[in-house]
């Protein structure tokens, strides 16, 4: 038996929980605000679709002015290519014969496909899989303080760029970084040094891609970057709220949950466990913010239960059967936990969208 998804016009309080819901007006406002900011500063915008994994939302981002999309895995890019997207950047080192075979097939049907590399091993694999008939665009990933992937020096970036230029099946398109918040000066210096080294060798660097929602509205502090990538901004979440990058009125995603138990006066249990709320803490001591109940804390998650400490809740807390709205710590993970996403306006359902790229992590 299939789940009876709500029709347009259904009130949110008639929806079975747990269920993530997206506020249409806040979603649209977030998209337009971000695009307008980058437009003002002359930077291209490439949204990261891992936050929503929904082609319809990505189309809204493109209609607002984005130049293309950013995916994280080949499987994610395949879903969006199937949906008609033709400018895709995959920001992940792609290794292994099976993935390279799929990547080559993807490159044959996407107008502009670009990948990243931060090692000679990755580049050698790409070079062995592609040829001059249908070359693959590659960016060298640089670590400018984010301490994840990326070459550590501009000199290494030059070395890898020269390898890409020398490979008949590859095209060097530029450099990319995912910096640490507050690291604009370091990013700018790294980009400028790398560009100078490349220019001395006669190598053009048309794309200088920086990224991240946590530092989104500081993108103008990196003037040498040509484009910015961000994902979380489209919905926003508790971590973005804490960082001051949005207000409560910008939170487009909530997880609706029902109080299923009040075992003691100081404890409630919700039906949104780790299979509905992310277990990411991101520096918080609890697992989500329950709107309207100041002092209530989701102190633990099991698979189907969220335990709420009400001992400091100023209102006494919700009762059995009440439906609450939870702001997740990290919205991107929640998207990957559900097959569909319910959208609404003023508390009434507007549409239900398939989370088409759910589970595409290989």
């Amino acid at each position: 038996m299939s789940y009876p998804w709500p029709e347009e016009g259904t009130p949110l309080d008639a929806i079975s929980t747990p269920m993530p819901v997206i506020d249409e007006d806040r979603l649209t406002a977030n998209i337009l605000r971000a695009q307008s900011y980058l437009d003002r500063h002359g930077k291209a915008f490439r949204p990261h679709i891992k936050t929503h994994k929904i082609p319809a939302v990505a189309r809204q981002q493109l209609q607002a002015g984005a130049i293309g999309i950013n995916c994280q895995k080949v499987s994610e890019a395949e879903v969006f290519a199937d949906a008609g997207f033709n400018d895709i950047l995959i920001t992940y080192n792609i290794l292994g014969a099976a993935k390279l075979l799929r990547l080559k097939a993807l490159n044959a049907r996407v107008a502009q496909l670009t990948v990243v590399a931060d090692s000679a091993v990755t580049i050698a694999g790409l070079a062995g899989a592609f040829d001059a008939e249908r070359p693959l665009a590659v960016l060298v990933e640089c670590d400018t303080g984010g301490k994840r992937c990326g070459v550590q020096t501009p000199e290494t970036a030059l070395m890898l760029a020269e390898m890409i230029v020398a490979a008949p099946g590859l095209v060097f398109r530029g450099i990319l970084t995912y910096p640490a918040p507050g690291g604009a000066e370091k990013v700018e210096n790294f980009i400028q040094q790398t560009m100078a080294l490349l220019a001395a060798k006669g190598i053009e660097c048309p794309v200088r891609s920086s990224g991240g929602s946590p530092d989104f509205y500081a993108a103008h502090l990196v003037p040498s970057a040509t484009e910015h990538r961000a994902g979380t901004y489209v919905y926003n979440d508790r971590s973005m709220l804490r960082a001051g990058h949005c207000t409560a009125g910008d939170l487009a995603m909530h997880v609706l949950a029902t109080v299923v138990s009040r075992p003691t006066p100081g404890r409630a249990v919700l039906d949104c466990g780790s299979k509905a709320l992310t277990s990411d803490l991101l520096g918080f001591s609890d697992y989500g913010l329950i709107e309207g109940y100041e002092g209530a804390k989701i102190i633990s998650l099991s698979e189907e239960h969220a335990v709420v400490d009400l001992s400091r809740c100023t209102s006494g807390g919700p009762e059995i059967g009440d439906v609450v709205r939870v702001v997740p710590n990290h919205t991107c993970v929640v998207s990957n936990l559900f097959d569909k996403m319910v959208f609404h306006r003023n508390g009434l359902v507007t549409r239900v969208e398939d989370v088409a790229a759910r589970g595409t992590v290989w």
Side-chain angles (χ1 to χ4, degrees):
M1 179 179 176
S2 61
Y3 178 80
W5 292 97
E7 297 179 351
E8 183 178 349
T10 301
L12 290 187
D13 58 12
I15 295 175
S16 292
T17 63
M19 182 66 67
V21 296
I22 307 300
D23 186 301
E24 294 271 26
D25 293 333
R26 292 180 179 186
L27 169 70
T28 299
N30 291 340
I31 291 172
L32 294 178
R33 176 185 175 218
Q35 186 67 53
S36 176
Y37 164 73
L38 290 179
D39 287 347
R40 288 198 308 273
H41 292 284
K43 294 190 184 299
F45 190 21
R46 185 179 294 277
H48 206 319
I49 56 78
K50 70 181 177 65
T51 298
H52 54 75
K53 292 177 170 278
I54 298 173
V57 175
R59 290 191 189 98
Q60 288 180 252
Q61 293 170 310
L62 291 185
Q63 288 164 2
I67 61 166
I69 62 170
N70 179 188
C71 296
Q72 196 73 345
K73 296 294 182 67
V74 175
S75 54
E76 206 172 51
E78 288 169 335
V79 170
F80 279 80
D82 289 344
F85 291 81
N86 59 20
D87 188 337
I88 301 174
L89 167 65
I90 304 175
T91 47
Y92 212 86
N93 283 302
I94 299 168
L95 298 159
K99 285 190 176 68
L100 289 170
L101 187 63
R102 287 164 51 211
L103 186 67
K104 188 170 185 179
L106 187 63
N107 191 52
R109 63 191 181 101
V110 173
Q112 179 60 63
L113 180 67
T114 307
V115 300
V116 300
D118 73 350
S119 73
V121 173
T122 302
I123 293 170
L126 295 172
F130 289 83
D131 54 50
E133 183 177 345
R134 182 65 175 172
L136 177 70
V138 185
L139 304 176
V140 172
E141 184 168 3
C142 306
D143 179 8
T144 58
K147 298 188 183 303
R148 198 161 64 184
C149 298
V151 298
Q152 300 300 298
T153 66
E155 290 75 17
T156 308
L158 170 63
M159 180 188 74
L160 295 188
E162 290 180 315
M163 288 184 63
I164 294 166
V165 170
L170 304 180
V171 176
F172 176 70
R173 290 266 295 162
I175 58 177
L176 173 145
T177 186
Y178 182 76
E185 183 177 357
K186 189 171 183 179
V187 175
E188 179 65 16
N189 289 338
F190 198 109
I191 292 176
Q192 286 195 12
Q193 291 173 36
T194 304
M195 289 177 64
L197 292 174
L198 291 167
K201 294 289 186 175
I203 301 174
E204 294 185 359
C205 185
V207 176
R208 286 92 66 187
S209 180
S210 188
S213 288
D215 233 14
F216 188 100
Y217 292 100
H220 65 283
L221 300 179
V222 186
S224 294
T226 60
E227 74 171 29
H228 195 85
R229 312 176 319 280
T232 309
Y233 84 95
V234 73
Y235 290 158
N236 286 313
D237 56 21
R238 193 181 179 199
S239 67
M240 295 285 283
L241 184 65
R242 176 186 58 190
H245 298 308
C246 71
T247 68
D250 302 317
L251 296 169
M253 175 190 277
H254 293 85
V255 178
L256 300 184
T258 301
V259 179
V260 293
S261 180
R262 282 292 304 265
T264 71
R267 184 165 82 243
V269 181
L270 309 178
D271 61 355
C272 57
S274 62
K275 291 179 178 177
L277 284 179
T278 172
S279 57
D280 284 358
L281 285 172
L282 301 183
F284 292 104
S285 61
D286 52 348
Y287 295 92
L289 176 68
I290 304 176
E291 286 193 347
Y293 294 96
E294 185 177 354
K297 296 189 69 173
I298 303 175
I299 58 172
S300 69
L301 298 178
S302 52
E303 289 183 63
E304 308 292 354
H305 299 87
V307 176
V308 184
D309 179 0
L310 298 174
S311 61
R312 294 180 175 82
C313 184
T314 56
S315 65
E319 299 298 331
I320 293 175
D322 287 348
V323 175
V324 298
R325 293 187 176 208
V326 180
V327 179
N329 291 349
H330 191 184
T331 185
C332 306
V333 183
V334 174
S335 291
N336 202 50
L337 295 173
F338 289 86
D339 290 330
K340 295 180 185 288
M341 199 68 62
V342 175
F343 293 73
H344 69 97
R345 178 175 286 112
N346 299 324
L348 300 177
V349 172
T350 53
R351 54 180 166 144
V352 177
E353 295 284 355
D354 289 330
V355 184
R358 182 193 178 192
T360 52
V361 294
W362 65 91

